[in-house]
Amino acid sequence: MTAAQLVALGASLFDRRLTHGRTGNLSFRDGERIVVTPTGASLGDLHADALSVIDTEGRHVSGPPPTKEAFLHAAVYRARPEAGAVVHLHSTYAVAVSCLADVDPSDVLPPLTAYYRMRVGKLPLLPFRAPGDASLGPIAEQAARDHHALLLANHGSLVAGPDLLTAADAAEELEETARIHLLLQGHRTTSAPANEPEERPGDHPCHDG
């Protein structure tokens, strides 16, 4: 993975309104370093030569100051040594679901589609903390040991994957399932059968052709 790929993904996510303003952040693992978007940056206006670098403890190593949520990225990488990238979005429907009352915090969204089962699986809801509140770090690290996708209450999604595109695919699948879930409110629904998929959540997804 390269800085140029991160910049291109940020622009794509921003242009498609999967995050807005100066919200959301992206990162990828580079050996023992983590390359992450800087604080106050719009994903639509990133520059490959102006990204931040932190270590796996979340300490700033080089470049501009990192996003105030860099500690969440570091927590996920510590919990998931196989993760190569993390995508955090404030996408509309995922945020809407994160604000719902009376949900199951151990699994917020029903598995409405086969692709959601494959790309996301179970989705725990983490308790609300103000953006940048480092007390969420240990909670996220614990949850990420068993789940590569997390939903932050009243906030947004946090998804890890082996690479940037796979993590983004899962985050987009989460967003689309959240949209479908909200469209179906008040209607009886069925879930996708729990047949064992050829891929596990977090693996590189297959694509319709």
Side-chain angles (χ1 to χ4, degrees):
M1 285 172 284
T2 67
Q5 290 172 324
L6 184 148
V7 168
L9 175 62
S12 173
L13 294 169
F14 183 85
D15 289 346
R16 291 180 291 130
R17 292 198 57 78
L18 286 160
T19 202
H20 59 278
R22 291 186 287 177
T23 66
N25 31 78
L26 310 173
S27 69
F28 66 87
R29 194 195 296 266
D30 181 20
E32 295 301 311
R33 309 184 318 156
I34 298 165
V35 179
V36 63
T37 49
T39 187
S42 165
L43 295 194
D45 189 30
L46 299 173
H47 303 277
D49 59 353
L51 298 175
S52 304
V53 176
I54 62 173
D55 64 17
T56 55
E57 295 302 317
R59 294 180 291 247
H60 186 203
V61 173
S62 64
T67 169
K68 63 178 173 290
E69 293 170 332
F71 70 92
L72 286 174
H73 292 251
V76 171
Y77 288 117
R78 289 194 303 271
R80 306 188 70 82
E82 76 284 3
V86 173
V87 170
H88 170 49
L89 299 178
H90 293 200
S91 53
T92 301
Y93 294 99
V95 172
V97 167
S98 82
C99 298
L100 293 176
D102 302 319
V103 297
D104 179 359
S106 70
D107 194 11
V108 187
L109 278 175
L112 295 170
T113 69
Y115 280 96
Y116 180 82
R117 279 196 182 277
M118 289 190 289
R119 292 177 177 159
V120 178
K122 287 192 173 182
L123 181 67
L125 179 69
L126 274 55
F128 176 76
R129 297 289 188 276
D133 184 341
S135 69
L136 188 59
I139 300 171
E141 185 171 352
Q142 178 66 35
R145 290 176 185 151
D146 297 316
H147 306 280
H148 73 283
L150 312 172
L151 191 61
L152 314 181
N154 303 84
H155 188 156
S157 61
L158 185 69
V159 182
D163 54 66
L164 281 163
L165 291 182
T166 305
D169 280 345
E172 291 186 55
E173 196 70 42
L174 192 164
E175 171 69 0
E176 284 303 301
T177 302
R179 183 168 73 95
I180 294 168
H181 175 64
L182 292 168
L183 286 170
L184 290 171
Q185 290 291 294
H187 298 273
R188 295 179 63 194
T189 64
T190 59
S191 295
N195 294 333
E196 185 67 23
E198 294 182 2
E199 57 179 320
R200 298 181 304 276
D203 287 347
H204 194 280
C206 55
H207 299 277
D208 290 329

